[in-house]
Amino acid sequence: MQTVISVEKVSKSFGNQQVLKNIDMLLKKGEIIGLIGPSGSGKSTLINIALGVERADSGLTTIFGQKMPNRMLLGKLGYMAQSDALYESLTAKENIRFFAEMKGVDKKLLTPEITRVAKIVSLENYLDKRVSGFSGGMKRRLSLAIALISDPGLLILDEPTVGSDPALRLQIWQELHRMRDEGHAILVTTHVMDEAELVDRVALLLGGELIANDSPQNLESQYHVDSIEKVFLKAEGELK
Amino acid sequence: MRRTIAISKRIFLELIRDKRTLAMLFLAPVLILTLLNYVFSINTSTNVNIGVVNVQRSMKSTINDVKHVNIKEYDNKKEAKKALDNQKVDAIFEENQHDDYSVLYANTSASKTAMIRRILSASFTQEKTFQMADTLKQMTEKLGMNSDNKNTTNDVNLKESYNYGNKNTTYFSSIMPIFMGFFVFLFVFLISGMSLLKERTSGTLGRLLATPVKRSEIVFGYILSYSLVAIIQTTIIVFFTIYVLNVQVTGLILNVFIINLLLALVALTFGLLLSTLANSEFQMMQFIPIIVVPQIIFSGIIPLDSMATWAQWIGNILPMKYASNAMTDVILYGKSFANILPELLMLIIFIVVLLVANIFGLRRYRKV
Ligand SMILES: Nc1ncnc2c1ncn2[C@@H]1O[C@H](COP(=O)(O)OP(=O)(O)OP(=O)(O)O)[C@@H](O)[C@H]1O
Ligand SMILES: [Mg+2]
């Protein structure tokens, strides 16, 4: 299948702290990769390098076969940062519209597109409310809605479900699975190990290296445990 | 182009919803101009009190005839000194012996000291003239000549007219053009800088840069919205000073707008660039003493030609100087667009350099 993200031998240090060591990773069309790892292990850094926001010390990243950083490619992916980067004094609708215009969504399609993404995250009734009046979970969902604008072939989501209740979380994952089945490629990071069971492949980032990169079932049998949570703990324990 | 417009619309929308910043942009200048106008238009004459010890009567009355001067008599120096220490008098004037005077200034206010010095020396001259006139009179009488008692002085007629303003024109009028530009500079600098700073610290800049937007589109978006802000602000300031404070604008008001718009763009690009060096709004405020205050010092409030060469050179690299010059030329001297063109060109050079620096500076946050 077609490769969407390819990370080859990427290394990155901040000062004398080496965060990523020779990382190789592939993401294919119609696949969800769950990037997990302890806090500070470099998940967000890896994403930023893939996006071209951060520069790698060495190595190569390509998205849709083109070398990053590349400005035009940014229009073909949806990115949701770890922090809710939203314009607080604007309404939800104004936020979505603004980013849709940045992505170059056709003027005529703006309104239906706003409604479409708002529905996915159940915010259609709050579109005219200012973001400053949103709860943490609502902001997170709005952030996700913005990433979904123009139905991009690649989604990069940094902890998309933080602050969402179980019902909503289920809804979001159903949507992600639906998109995957349509052929989208999705890269998510998460600290919720239950969610890691829902992905096609788990990439475990530990000590600057990708320790594992396989389906949840394969990893569980490989580590002789019954959940990704235990895989995580066992792998972290072995490293020490 | 569409992105630029969308960005400027968004910035404008955010600004309009921020009532405090709006007040800062549009009401603060009006308030400060009103205060300045009041402070500089109240009667500026100071009254001085001179304590005199042992001074002959004619001299005393000469001094006393001067406006805004009060004479207080003391029997001896000690008493007079006490009055001076208690701020009852501003100077002690003493006659030691005939034609030998001494004066002790309190010297706590330079303007009062200068005024007393002027009064005393004028009084001396007058005394001498009187004495000479007296001697002359005595001499003519002795010689048996007819002295004319009639007032022989012809009525001298002096007609006063003013190139700018009228006889009520105060110091305020001469610094007002500078302040009109300064407010635009100060507020646009701070608010645009803080706006980009907030965009950076809140992460929205990162998110914005994760879309295919060009770095130049972001900078031009800011320019578009803050040009509009500068135009509104200038309109308010201009109409307020003309119609409420009754300050006369000799030249074309359109030229005032052009100058302020260019100055606003300098302030904007400067603010945006410096905001990348700040990590918080407080750090942004720290640029006021090092960036903004020199602008006003060298803007012409203190005449630049009286400064040392090195100080004049500092003035030459500050945009406010050019804007103030152009503004003064238009408002006070009615100069035309062609006359202020060199200053406008300097402002444009500042804008272009800062603009390029900004577009390049955003590379820090995205490599393409
Ligand atoms: N701009 C930066 N300058 C210096 N150090 C940085 C920078 N960005 C990240 N780091 C360091 O790199 C390491 C990895 O950070 P990163 O944000 O990628 O972690 P993460 O895996 O996303 O953590 P979390 O799960 O908490 O989000 C951390 O130790 C962090 O201190
Ligand atoms: Mg992170």
Side-chain angles (χ1 to χ4, degrees):
Chain A
M1 241 189 284
Q2 191 193 332
T3 303
V4 178
I5 299 184
S6 131
V7 173
E8 282 172 48
K9 298 197 166 45
V10 163
S11 299
K12 174 77 188 174
S13 308
F14 291 109
N16 50 18
Q17 173 200 13
Q18 183 152 28
V19 179
L20 300 175
K21 298 174 193 157
N22 248 346
I23 301 283
D24 286 306
M25 193 178 72
L26 280 184
L27 174 62
K28 292 198 163 68
K29 206 165 171 290
E31 181 182 47
I32 304 182
I33 283 197
L35 187 57
I36 62 172
S39 185
S41 57
K43 302 182 294 293
S44 299
T45 306
L46 184 57
I47 286 177
N48 286 337
I49 288 172
L51 284 172
V53 175
E54 199 81 69
R55 200 188 273 289
D57 298 337
S58 62
L60 182 74
T61 15
T62 63
I63 289 184
F64 295 116
Q66 281 180 282
K67 196 169 168 275
M68 291 301 274
N70 178 326
R71 184 173 60 82
M72 286 322 289
L73 274 184
L74 292 173
K76 295 187 188 161
L77 59 88
Y79 166 59
M80 175 180 178
Q82 187 169 2
S83 64
D84 296 309
L86 299 164
Y87 297 103
E88 298 260 329
S89 58
L90 304 189
T91 64
K93 185 191 257 167
E94 287 161 346
N95 267 284
I96 301 175
R97 177 189 292 268
F98 175 71
F99 283 105
E101 289 195 277
M102 292 302 114
K103 279 194 148 183
V105 173
D106 199 87
K107 263 221 160 70
K108 276 175 264 149
L109 298 178
L110 274 178
T111 317
E113 187 62 10
I114 292 170
T115 326
R116 186 187 73 85
V117 295
K119 273 221 177 87
I120 297 173
V121 295
S122 304
L123 278 180
E124 65 271 30
N125 295 326
Y126 299 96
L127 276 176
D128 291 317
K129 197 178 160 88
R130 295 209 188 152
V131 173
S132 51
F134 271 25
S135 71
M138 285 164 86
K139 287 183 189 169
R140 209 73 205 121
R141 278 141 65 195
L142 178 58
S143 225
L144 178 60
I146 290 169
L148 297 175
I149 292 170
S150 75
D151 205 20
L154 167 62
L155 275 180
I156 297 180
L157 311 174
D158 206 345
E159 304 191 24
T161 55
V162 172
S164 297
D165 57 75
L168 198 70
R169 186 136 62 199
L170 188 69
Q171 188 189 335
I172 290 173
W173 275 98
Q174 274 169 355
E175 178 62 23
L176 293 182
H177 284 140
R178 190 192 61 75
M179 290 182 80
R180 172 204 52 199
D181 296 340
E182 280 180 0
H184 293 70
I186 302 172
L187 172 64
V188 286
T189 74
T190 182
H191 280 294
V192 184
M193 291 306 143
D194 290 350
E195 289 183 351
E197 314 275 355
L198 302 172
V199 303
D200 301 320
R201 258 190 314 134
V202 172
L204 177 54
L205 196 56
L206 259 183
E209 288 171 87
L210 269 191
I211 296 285
N213 192 353
D214 212 336
S215 70
Q217 296 72 28
N218 286 354
L219 283 181
E220 281 158 25
S221 58
Q222 191 185 324
Y223 279 83
H224 310 291
V225 288
D226 56 3
S227 71
I228 287 296
E229 177 147 18
K230 286 180 181 150
V231 171
F232 185 109
L233 292 173
K234 206 165 172 184
E236 204 177 7
E238 279 173 12
L239 194 78
K240 277 171 189 164
Chain B
M1 194 60 203
R2 184 180 161 208
R3 291 202 190 99
T4 303
I5 290 171
I7 291 173
S8 69
K9 255 166 78 181
R10 188 213 82 214
I11 295 170
F12 206 69
L13 205 57
E14 284 185 287
L15 203 60
I16 281 179
R17 295 196 179 153
D18 185 352
K19 298 287 177 285
R20 267 234 322 239
T21 304
L22 272 191
M24 176 108 137
L25 274 172
F26 301 129
L27 293 183
V30 166
L31 188 73
I32 300 176
L33 282 172
T34 312
L35 285 176
L36 281 177
N37 181 41
Y38 174 72
V39 168
F40 286 117
S41 60
I42 51 174
N43 196 351
T44 46
S45 57
T46 35
N47 285 309
V48 292
N49 297 312
I50 302 179
V52 291
V53 182
N54 263 340
V55 179
Q56 44 170 304
R57 171 146 344 125
S58 66
M59 185 72 181
K60 265 189 324 220
S61 67
T62 313
I63 297 174
N64 219 358
D65 283 347
V66 183
K67 263 191 205 157
H68 307 300
V69 176
N70 295 320
I71 292 272
K72 286 190 183 156
E73 285 226 52
Y74 295 97
D75 293 337
N76 53 50
K77 181 128 194 214
K78 208 171 148 202
E79 250 178 77
K81 181 70 172 50
K82 222 165 99 186
L84 187 91
D85 289 339
N86 291 329
Q87 300 174 27
K88 296 251 164 41
V89 296
D90 302 303
I92 300 169
F93 182 49
E94 191 182 11
E95 182 163 355
N96 306 325
Q97 43 186 297
H98 184 66
D99 273 353
D100 179 14
Y101 298 94
S102 64
V103 57
L104 171 66
Y105 299 105
N107 205 22
T108 45
S109 148
S111 63
K112 280 187 178 175
T113 301
M115 186 172 165
I116 295 167
R117 187 176 290 134
R118 218 166 45 233
I119 290 165
L120 290 181
S121 75
S123 303
F124 280 130
T125 324
Q126 206 173 342
E127 269 295 292
K128 283 276 174 306
T129 326
F130 281 151
Q131 279 171 16
M132 259 153 71
D134 273 351
T135 334
L136 210 64
K137 204 167 150 195
Q138 283 162 17
M139 271 160 67
T140 39
E141 269 166 11
K142 268 184 198 156
L143 289 170
M145 286 181 182
N146 264 348
S147 81
D148 218 341
N149 273 343
K150 265 192 297 176
N151 193 354
T152 48
T153 42
N154 291 321
D155 271 357
V156 178
N157 196 358
L158 179 66
K159 189 169 164 290
E160 292 177 306
S161 53
Y162 301 85
N163 183 36
Y164 172 78
N166 52 38
K167 70 178 192 313
N168 293 324
T169 298
T170 59
Y171 178 59
F172 175 72
S173 314
S174 63
I175 57 164
M176 207 275 316
I178 294 171
F179 273 100
M180 273 168 86
F182 178 68
F183 286 129
V184 172
F185 185 90
L186 175 67
F187 291 112
V188 170
F189 173 83
L190 272 185
I191 290 167
S192 66
M194 290 208 185
S195 163
L196 181 63
L197 180 77
K198 198 171 133 225
E199 179 139 25
R200 206 183 72 211
T201 49
S202 72
T204 49
L205 182 66
R207 176 153 218 171
L208 188 53
L209 286 169
T211 70
V213 71
K214 288 185 192 152
R215 282 176 281 129
S216 58
E217 286 171 329
I218 298 179
V219 176
F220 284 115
Y222 270 87
I223 286 190
L224 207 58
S225 50
Y226 278 94
S227 300
L228 201 57
V229 169
I231 289 173
I232 299 175
Q233 199 186 34
T234 307
T235 310
I236 293 176
I237 294 178
V238 165
F239 284 92
F240 184 76
T241 44
I242 293 179
Y243 294 109
V244 182
L245 303 182
N246 292 317
V247 169
Q248 183 198 357
V249 174
T250 322
L252 272 184
I253 294 184
L254 179 68
N255 287 338
V256 174
F257 275 88
I258 295 173
I259 298 165
N260 263 6
L261 185 60
L262 289 180
L263 185 61
L265 293 184
V266 175
L268 165 73
T269 43
F270 212 7
L272 293 184
L273 192 66
L274 285 178
S275 78
T276 59
L277 302 177
N279 286 320
S280 66
E281 300 196 344
F282 180 63
Q283 287 187 358
M284 194 67 207
M285 298 294 283
Q286 291 168 350
F287 287 123
I288 293 182
I290 58 170
I291 302 291
V292 179
V293 172
Q295 306 279 346
I296 190 84
I297 292 177
F298 291 97
S299 64
I301 283 189
I302 304 156
L304 276 178
D305 37 7
S306 66
M307 291 187 189
T309 344
W310 64 265
Q312 290 191 26
W313 264 104
I314 295 181
N316 284 341
I317 55 162
L318 298 177
M320 254 311 280
K321 185 199 141 181
Y322 299 96
S324 307
N325 281 355
M327 209 63 139
T328 310
D329 279 352
V330 169
I331 293 180
L332 299 186
Y333 300 101
K335 293 267 175 76
S336 68
F337 182 77
N339 290 125
I340 56 168
L341 202 58
E343 274 92 1
L344 296 185
L345 283 178
M346 274 311 291
L347 290 178
I348 291 173
I349 291 174
F350 275 110
I351 296 169
V352 172
V353 170
L354 289 167
L355 195 68
V356 173
N358 268 301
I359 296 175
F360 207 75
L362 279 178
R363 271 190 92 95
R364 273 177 60 182
Y365 310 110
R366 188 180 71 189
K367 312 302 173 208
V368 281

